[in-house]
Amino acid sequence: MNTALNPRIENIRQTLQKHYGPLNWWPGDSPDEIAIGAILTQNTAWSNAEKAIARIKTAGLLSFPAILSANPSDLAETIRPSGYFNQKAKKLKAFAKMVCQNGNETIFQRLSGKTRDEARILLLNVWGIGMETADAILLYAIGYRIFVVDDYTKRIFSRHGILSPDTEYETVRKMVEMSIPANTPTYNAFHAALVHLGKDFCHRKVPDCSHCPLASTENLFRQRGNSDER
Ligand code: SF4
């Protein structure tokens, strides 16, 4: 299967851009709130992360120095709606320790002056931060030019025969980055549109192809009994 530049990806991007228009992702009033949200939404719906963020705000913990000094069990209780709250409290603590390492107080200050790859390595070295979370923070909180791959990306592209469902994260990321215009707003809008498409039409078990905006522009290569199980 070809995992280099693929013109069909740009075709999909343009179709989704026309369908959805500006989506103004990611929700959050500051880079710190976006970074905290990216950790809280791991393995859960965004609506649950939102509830946890609201409780963090009420508790006065929406800053990394505050998270660093918070009582661990109080922090876990505060973010309970996000699920896996004990683990996520540890992740927030580890992330806050990295942010505040040099007396910095915000993620923007901590990453200031770093190249994208330097910043990415720093984030990936934090316990509990994988590539999807790191790249979401880099793209949406700071504005680095990097594409975020998630389950929706893989599901949609694999159902269209562009990649296999088990393609590695980095392979997908580089393939998309090679295939669409290389700028931050485009990466931002395309990832957001794929998430909306996944939620609106390309459901995990039964995709709603008859109403999907991609059905009319893309030939379907969906493999029944394979991608449907994901
Ligand atoms: S719903 Fe159907 S047409 Fe739309 S992205 Fe999924 S597989 Fe493709």
Side-chain angles (χ1 to χ4, degrees):
M1 188 163 293
N2 181 15
T3 50
L5 184 152
N6 189 321
R8 288 177 59 209
I9 294 176
E10 173 60 4
N11 187 42
I12 288 172
R13 187 193 71 77
Q14 289 183 11
T15 302
L16 295 186
Q17 187 179 36
K18 280 186 207 135
H19 180 79
Y20 283 114
L23 289 164
N24 301 318
W25 264 41
W26 172 306
D29 294 333
S30 68
D32 285 359
E33 184 175 335
I34 291 169
I36 290 167
I39 294 169
L40 292 176
T41 199
Q42 288 178 346
N43 303 112
T44 194
W46 174 249
S47 55
N48 295 329
E50 262 183 324
K51 287 177 199 152
I53 290 170
R55 286 163 64 105
I56 282 181
K57 285 181 179 171
T58 303
L61 295 175
L62 195 70
S63 76
F64 288 112
I67 287 173
L68 193 58
S69 58
N71 176 287
S73 51
D74 288 349
L75 178 61
E77 186 54 37
T78 302
I79 63 168
R80 180 182 277 270
S82 70
Y84 306 99
F85 49 93
N86 285 318
Q87 265 215 332
K88 287 181 182 175
K90 284 185 194 161
K91 290 179 185 183
L92 286 174
K93 282 270 186 190
F95 199 84
K97 191 174 173 192
M98 178 278 292
V99 171
C100 300
Q101 191 172 306
N102 303 324
N104 301 294
E105 296 200 337
T106 68
I107 184 63
F108 194 84
Q109 289 170 336
R110 183 68 176 95
L111 300 183
S112 176
K114 297 204 177 329
T115 67
R116 181 195 78 170
D117 291 345
E118 287 169 347
R120 193 173 195 236
I121 289 168
L122 192 64
L123 298 194
L124 289 174
N125 279 333
V126 178
W127 179 78
I129 303 297
M131 284 190 255
E132 183 182 335
T133 304
D135 294 347
I137 293 169
L138 293 173
L139 175 67
Y140 290 110
I142 313 296
Y144 285 104
R145 195 180 69 194
I146 193 159
F147 185 77
V148 182
V149 176
D150 61 16
D151 286 348
Y152 294 117
T153 318
K154 287 190 180 182
R155 184 190 305 162
I156 292 163
F157 289 169
S158 65
R159 282 175 172 171
H160 285 256
I162 291 169
L163 49 75
S164 62
D166 57 355
T167 307
E168 288 186 354
Y169 183 101
E170 285 295 79
T171 305
V172 182
R173 179 177 69 79
K174 287 173 186 169
M175 180 178 64
V176 175
E177 289 181 357
M178 275 189 276
S179 303
I180 67 176
N183 61 73
T184 299
T186 299
Y187 289 2
N188 179 324
F190 190 32
H191 174 246
L194 288 168
V195 172
H196 279 261
L197 190 80
K199 286 181 177 166
D200 296 344
F201 304 101
C202 204
H203 311 301
R204 188 171 60 86
K205 289 195 174 161
V206 184
D208 183 9
C209 299
S210 57
H211 297 102
C212 177
L214 288 192
S216 57
T217 55
E218 275 278 305
N219 288 322
L220 217 55
F221 292 85
R222 187 161 64 83
Q223 295 159 354
R224 284 193 179 278
N226 181 359
S227 56
D228 280 5
E229 298 304 316
R230 295 184 68 241

